[in-house]
Amino acid sequence: MIDTPSLVDQYCHGVLRTELGLGTFEAHLGRTAGPPAPGTTFFDTQTGFAVRRWCPPLLGLEPHCPPAHYLARRRELGVLESGRRLLRATGISTYLVDTGLPGDITGIPEIAAAGAAEAHEIARLEQLAEQVADTSGTVDGFLANLAEAVHGAAVTAVALTSLAGVRHGLALAPEPPGPGEVRGATGRWLSARRVGERLTDPVLLRHLLWIAVTAGRPLQLHVGVDDPLLLTGFAAATTGLGTDLVLLHGYPHHRHAAHLASVFPHVYADVGPALAHTGAGAASVLAEILELAPFGKLLFSSGSRGLPELHVVGARIFREALGRVLSGWVTDGAWSRADAQRVAEMIAAGNARRVYGLPAQAQAQAPAPGPLAQNPRLPAQIQRGG
């Protein structure tokens, strides 16, 4: 069996601090915003079955026990103790946490303490823009403060992440918007928005992406339900600018995400949530990704949000799928065991440590980004923030 002793979870969220009833817990298993179909449950999914397989033994129960029994035991232990037991069983040594999720969710220090691990922040671009808009009264003020906020966030965050693909779709023009476009879109958005309203304007989403390209951190792009090949133009436009792009949550278009990672030297693909969603079929999905992407371009993540059980499932299914695929190739004689072990360690942790500049030892501090250099390929208003 191939060993993956330590994982870097390169994209996740915190976990809920509150006790959960059966219905609330179940809602966090679903991939949709609404409830399950009448007479059904989200436990009857690959994710739900995986939770029932891997999590009960960590709380002293038999695998596959009924959900009600599991949640009763969870409440008996309490949310803090059950979360601690679950997170410490994942084998995740480093969490990269998107802090932009609303709700009563643990922050960076809490998830680090609960998981006995290192944790670093991922800053969400759209949230930064919305916070700036809430406090900026003019177009000029907003644009100057926006650039300052993004570059300021990059000082402490290990990555920036964008929801442009979720909020608008990936069919955005790949080039930076012109100054007139940006000012016009800003004026319209500021004059019409209410405090706290989400950013969905395609011009401002593009402007945010291009500010992020100058910020000195990797840029994570949520693919959403779109085909990642729609990002081909943006990947081409950002080639050679020094910013890595990491494609998140590409399933069911995971082969296209892997293809982009094989074509562009600065594009990477996330393998985690695709495996967690496919459960018992994860090895087949992972094999398809490994057919296309260079092995140094793939990174593990759980993509978890809300439930510590999803961290467990993400880590366990990744290990099982990776071990099954690589061990099969070793048995067939296609790979040596040493090469299989080396690739496993790359995908599990090594690639993420390289891309995000993480220290080899979990106790070390995240590095500061390099100085912002004037790049002749980038428009002046993006480099200046005006």
Side-chain angles (χ1 to χ4, degrees):
M1 186 68 175
I2 304 302
D3 185 26
T4 52
S6 176
L7 302 178
V8 172
D9 190 344
Q10 65 110 23
Y11 183 84
C12 65
H13 299 276
V15 299
L16 291 162
R17 298 188 181 99
T18 52
E19 298 284 1
L20 301 176
L22 180 61
T24 308
F25 185 96
E26 178 191 326
H28 286 278
L29 294 177
R31 298 176 60 189
T32 63
T40 70
T41 169
F42 284 133
F43 272 105
D44 287 333
T45 60
Q46 290 283 7
T47 302
F49 272 43
V51 166
R52 292 177 55 216
R53 165 63 183 90
W54 299 113
C55 296
L58 302 178
L59 303 188
L61 299 172
E62 291 296 320
H64 308 295
C65 73
H69 292 178
Y70 175 75
L71 290 177
R73 174 60 173 164
R74 201 178 189 269
R75 287 191 297 272
E76 178 185 349
L77 291 171
V79 66
L80 294 179
E81 176 61 16
S82 59
R84 187 188 67 82
R85 292 191 185 191
L86 292 164
L87 291 176
R88 294 190 181 191
T90 62
I92 295 171
S93 64
T94 305
Y95 295 92
L96 306 189
V97 184
D98 178 353
T99 56
L101 194 67
D104 189 17
I105 299 282
T106 56
I108 300 290
E110 292 169 280
I111 196 169
E118 185 78 7
H120 302 283
E121 181 186 13
I122 299 168
R124 185 177 291 195
L125 291 173
E126 290 77 16
Q127 183 182 53
L128 291 173
E130 290 152 8
Q131 291 170 346
V132 169
D134 288 340
T135 58
S136 298
T138 67
V139 170
D140 288 336
F142 172 80
L143 294 176
N145 293 338
L146 179 61
E148 181 179 353
V150 172
H151 288 284
V155 172
T156 54
V158 296
L160 302 172
T161 191
S162 171
L163 294 171
V166 176
R167 294 192 177 184
H168 182 271
L170 297 179
L172 292 165
E175 68 278 356
E181 282 185 277
V182 173
R183 292 184 64 84
T186 300
R188 290 189 297 272
W189 187 52
L190 291 180
S191 64
R193 78 181 294 270
R194 298 181 297 275
V195 172
E197 184 176 339
R198 300 198 314 167
L199 173 62
T200 58
D201 183 273
V203 172
L204 294 182
L205 291 173
R206 286 166 56 206
H207 183 59
L208 261 180
L209 290 176
W210 280 96
I211 294 175
V213 168
T214 72
R217 289 299 193 195
L219 174 58
Q220 299 176 338
L221 301 172
H222 290 250
V223 173
V225 298
D226 275 355
D227 188 335
L229 292 180
L230 292 171
L231 287 169
T232 301
F234 184 70
T238 54
T239 299
L241 297 182
T243 296
D244 290 328
L245 308 179
V246 183
L247 307 183
L248 299 178
H249 312 337
Y251 188 79
H253 304 291
H254 50 286
R255 294 175 65 91
H256 289 172
H259 170 72
L260 286 181
S262 74
V263 171
F264 295 101
H266 65 307
V267 175
Y268 294 78
D270 176 26
V271 303
L275 307 185
H277 291 321
T278 50
S284 297
V285 173
L286 180 60
E288 291 179 345
I289 297 172
L290 291 170
E291 289 175 5
L292 293 166
F295 309 131
K297 306 296 286 298
L298 300 175
L299 301 94
F300 162 74
S301 81
S302 68
S304 303
R305 53 183 294 171
L307 301 179
E309 285 83 358
L310 298 181
H311 292 277
V312 173
V313 166
R316 173 62 71 169
I317 290 180
F318 168 74
R319 280 197 174 94
E320 292 284 317
L322 190 64
R324 187 177 304 175
V325 172
L326 299 189
S327 295
W329 292 344
V330 170
T331 300
D332 291 343
W335 285 34
S336 71
R337 181 165 296 277
D339 280 339
Q341 184 63 52
R342 182 171 58 86
V343 169
E345 292 172 356
M346 289 166 59
I347 300 173
N351 293 338
R353 293 198 177 280
R354 185 183 75 253
V355 170
Y356 297 107
L358 300 175
Q361 299 297 321
Q363 291 80 9
Q365 295 297 314
L372 175 61
Q374 293 293 313
N375 191 317
R377 293 183 58 191
L378 293 175
Q381 80 273 9
I382 289 179
Q383 300 190 64
R384 293 193 308 266

